[in-house]
Amino acid sequence: MEQDTEKSARKFSVGNFIIGLIAIALAGCGIYFLVSLGVNYYKEVQNEKQIFRYEEFYSFIIPAAAIDIEPFEDVTSAKMSELVEMSVWSVLNSGLDPTDYEYSSDSLLLPETQVEEAFIKFFGTELTISHGTVEGYGYEFVYNATGKVYEIPLTTITPIYTPIISEIETKAGTVSLTVGLLNSGLYSQNAATGELTAPEPDKYIKVTFRTSTSGRYISSVRALSVPETATADVTYETSPETDQSSEESKTDENSANSEENSEN
């Protein structure tokens, strides 16, 4: 009886491993593939040397785009749950080997120490991580305080956005990236050639890093407003019509008054 139980347990463990391997591989490859498409999308307007310079920042901004992080002026005012979620995403997208992890019935068990390491890589040591369960778009990373692990669901996790860097601005002690966020669900495929085309960015954010002797860390994420030219166009088209309507109303009113005076 015990032998049968052990065999069942081994089968269960192997089954979980295979599912986990496929799930994590799909999640990681999917993100890398979409980002690669985003990079190729901008090759026509950015030279390759500059693109390679941009790529060093992708490990930072892929997780931020994946969860559609809420903007913050300073990292100390950001939502801790989102910073933890970013850190988990970072580990999942780091090319991890599923054979190095344990599994529960339906989850990969990610040690909190790895999440802490990613957290420090992103935000430095000025802010202390506060572990806890985080909820994302269609998934949940459950924190198991007893086991000191995060339970990662054995399903393919799709990022909300994939990022493309359109500009880098360097100042004393800081680096700012202008980042376009491309909807991960809007990549289109040509039925004849099979080629995928990246969508236009849904929106833009500016991610600022502070630099020090110990590394480079995210200090703020700001939402970029709609370009002023777009607002000006709307105003330009609306104003003349309004003015013209006003003039026509005045003309009609004057004509009516003239006719009334003539009758009198």
Side-chain angles (χ1 to χ4, degrees):
M1 185 72 175
E2 291 181 1
Q3 188 175 4
D4 292 339
T5 304
E6 289 178 0
K7 286 182 179 179
S8 298
R10 282 197 296 271
K11 288 180 181 179
F12 182 73
S13 178
V14 171
N16 276 342
F17 164 71
I18 293 173
I19 295 173
L21 178 64
I22 295 172
I24 299 302
L26 285 176
C29 290
I31 295 170
Y32 178 80
F33 182 61
L34 291 177
V35 171
S36 296
L37 280 176
V39 172
N40 290 332
Y41 174 70
Y42 273 86
K43 275 190 176 180
E44 293 182 1
V45 293
Q46 303 287 352
N47 62 61
E48 291 194 10
K49 182 178 180 181
Q50 197 165 23
I51 288 173
F52 291 139
R53 182 190 175 205
Y54 288 0
E55 286 179 343
E56 68 177 288
F57 292 97
Y58 275 112
S59 63
F60 288 95
I61 63 171
I62 286 174
I67 69 171
D68 190 18
I69 192 167
E70 290 188 17
F72 53 84
E73 287 297 321
D74 185 86
V75 69
T76 57
S77 64
K79 286 185 177 180
M80 177 57 67
S81 61
E82 291 199 333
L83 303 187
V84 172
E85 188 180 358
M86 273 185 62
S87 302
V88 173
W89 264 98
S90 175
V91 178
L92 296 180
N93 193 50
S94 64
L96 56 81
D97 184 351
T99 62
D100 294 336
Y101 297 86
E102 295 182 356
Y103 294 82
S104 68
S105 59
D106 57 357
S107 303
L108 178 150
L109 304 181
L110 185 66
E112 67 173 29
T113 52
Q114 287 190 266
V115 179
E116 290 173 2
E117 290 172 1
F119 186 92
I120 292 172
K121 171 191 171 184
F122 281 127
F123 312 111
T125 56
E126 294 181 6
L127 191 64
T128 302
I129 189 173
S130 178
H131 290 290
T133 297
V134 296
E135 295 184 6
Y137 185 72
Y139 60 86
E140 184 178 44
F141 299 144
V142 176
Y143 177 63
N144 184 326
T146 302
K148 296 186 181 301
V149 294
Y150 282 86
E151 299 176 1
I152 310 302
L154 297 180
T155 56
T156 301
I157 303 171
T158 304
I160 299 176
Y161 290 108
T162 51
I164 183 68
I165 301 170
S166 59
E167 184 180 352
I168 294 181
E169 181 182 0
T170 303
K171 293 183 179 179
T174 65
V175 177
S176 294
L177 311 180
T178 299
V179 181
L181 300 182
L182 287 67
N183 191 316
S184 299
L186 295 182
Y187 283 77
S188 59
Q189 186 172 28
N190 186 304
T193 64
E195 293 182 354
L196 289 173
T197 303
E200 291 287 342
D202 273 4
K203 55 185 176 180
Y204 290 86
I205 57 175
K206 177 166 284 190
V207 183
T208 299
F209 297 81
R210 68 182 189 280
T211 59
S212 67
T213 54
S214 58
R216 179 181 288 141
Y217 308 106
I218 296 176
S219 62
S220 69
V221 176
R222 297 184 176 89
L224 296 182
S225 59
V226 178
E228 293 181 1
T229 51
T231 305
D233 288 341
V234 173
T235 303
Y236 176 79
E237 292 176 1
T238 303
S239 296
E241 293 178 1
T242 303
D243 294 342
Q244 184 177 1
S245 298
S246 178
E247 291 296 330
E248 289 177 351
S249 297
K250 289 180 181 179
T251 303
D252 292 342
E253 185 180 349
N254 291 335
S255 298
N257 289 338
S258 299
E259 291 177 359
E260 184 178 350
N261 291 334
S262 299
E263 292 175 357
N264 293 336

